[in-house]
Amino acid sequence: MIEKVGVIGAGQMGSGIAQVCAAAGLSVVISDINAEQLSKSVAGIAKNYDRQIAKGKMSGAEKDVALARIGTSTELSIFKDSDLVIEAATESEDVKRLILKALVPNLSPTAMVATNTSSISITRLAAATDRPEKFIGMHFMNPVPVMQLVEIIRGIATDDHTFQAIKALTVRLGKTAAIAEDFPAFIVNRILLPMINEAVYTLYEGVGGVEAIDTAMKLGANHPMGPLELADFIGLDTCLSIMQVLYEGLADSKYRPCPLMVKYVEAGWLGRKVGRGFYDYSGPTPRPTR
Ligand SMILES: CC(=O)CC(=O)SCCNC(=O)CCNC(=O)[C@H](O)C(C)(C)COP(=O)(O)OP(=O)(O)OC[C@H]1O[C@@H](n2cnc3c(N)ncnc32)[C@H](O)[C@@H]1OP(=O)(O)O
Ligand SMILES: NC(=O)C1=CN([C@@H]2O[C@H](COP(=O)(O)OP(=O)(O)OC[C@H]3O[C@@H](n4cnc5c(N)ncnc54)[C@H](OP(=O)(O)O)[C@@H]3O)[C@@H](O)[C@H]2O)C=CC1
């Protein structure tokens, strides 16, 4: 039974995962290389709980209890008692492999390890640990507190106990699981990211401006967010990494990342998290940049 969860990476996904785990009664510890990011993460979680209080979905006392269940540290030793550690750091295989290698000496022998990777091979990441049979993909969607789905991906060595434990945890968090095989970007991003990449090509080739493309897909296909707004929301660095994994992993030119997406990432215009992507978020309402 999973009662103590660790989260690595206090960005938008790690914070969302910690928020839902603490609200579901689990004890949570979060680690990040950046101490400032850890304070921002807990402040963001508290703000989201306040929104739920304002809507009558949580009481003030429940918020206090949930927040008291969350601990933070820049040290991986904080995970020594964790039943499960969920890695949710930057979408880079090198970064994740280094984190996993450093993590495992800090774990109890029975601890399971999950990764929230959007695209990278679970089997390859598992090989960076001492416990590939206890390693699994647990892919939450953004924003975690709102989105129903968790993709669960077994690596070649993942055992049944780990698979069943992660399925049970998904249910306990109030989410629904979809089981995907360990192919580049799994199910959701195999389908979603080429659509976003095509939207960037549509912009790059001048078929439409940012606003026209997003309006077209919101009103013409009933998407809740336009593809460029969604790219900014996900983070353009993450979108580019996923496209690179698809392009290299499936060796098909149809997944070639759009050069404009590459340029935006090179410029540091990573989307909402830095205040600029396809939209500029510095004013009261987001302003299209093209
Ligand atoms: C890249 C990957 O690996 C995989 C991925 O995650 S791909 C991305 C998947 N996500 C999506 O496609 C999201 C698409 N967008 C949407 O579904 C919607 O725009 C949205 C749910 C994010 C916001 O919906 P909206 O109707 O515009 O906004 P709003 O009415 O303000 O919010 C709806 C609810 O979401 C909550 N919410 C919105 N943004 C939130 C956030 N960032 N964090 C927490 N809660 C949030 C609101 O509080 C509100 O909650 P209630 O229903 O309890 O009132
Ligand atoms: N964004 C999305 O829509 C979704 C993302 N994901 C996946 O979740 C993961 C995280 O994404 P997201 O939260 O958006 O990214 P963010 O950029 O918001 O957060 C990543 C966090 O990881 C931290 N980090 C980087 N290196 C390390 C390290 N060595 N040790 C500990 N922390 C580290 C970063 O710190 P710093 O900023 O200081 O570098 C940052 O705080 C990725 O694998 C991504 O693919 C999955 C589903 C949806």
Side-chain angles (χ1 to χ4, degrees), residues 59-80:
S59 69
E62 282 167 340
K63 171 192 162 186
D64 293 343
V65 172
L67 279 179
R69 288 194 193 107
I70 302 177
T72 62
S73 173
T74 52
E75 302 294 326
L76 294 172
S77 55
I78 198 176
F79 298 122
K80 65 179 187 311

Side-chain angles (χ1 to χ4, degrees), residues 8-14 31-34 37 87-91 95-96 99 116-118 139-142 233-235 237-238 242 273:
I8 303 183
Q12 50 184 344
M13 294 306 291
S31 170
D32 196 288
I33 33 172
N34 182 343
Q37 189 67 27
E87 175 282 311
T90 309
E91 186 71 353
V95 168
K96 290 185 187 296
I99 289 173
N116 187 50
T117 180
S118 296
H139 182 211
F140 290 83
M141 304 293 134
N142 187 12
F233 182 61
I234 293 169
D237 51 343
T238 303
I242 298 169
K273 63 186 168 187

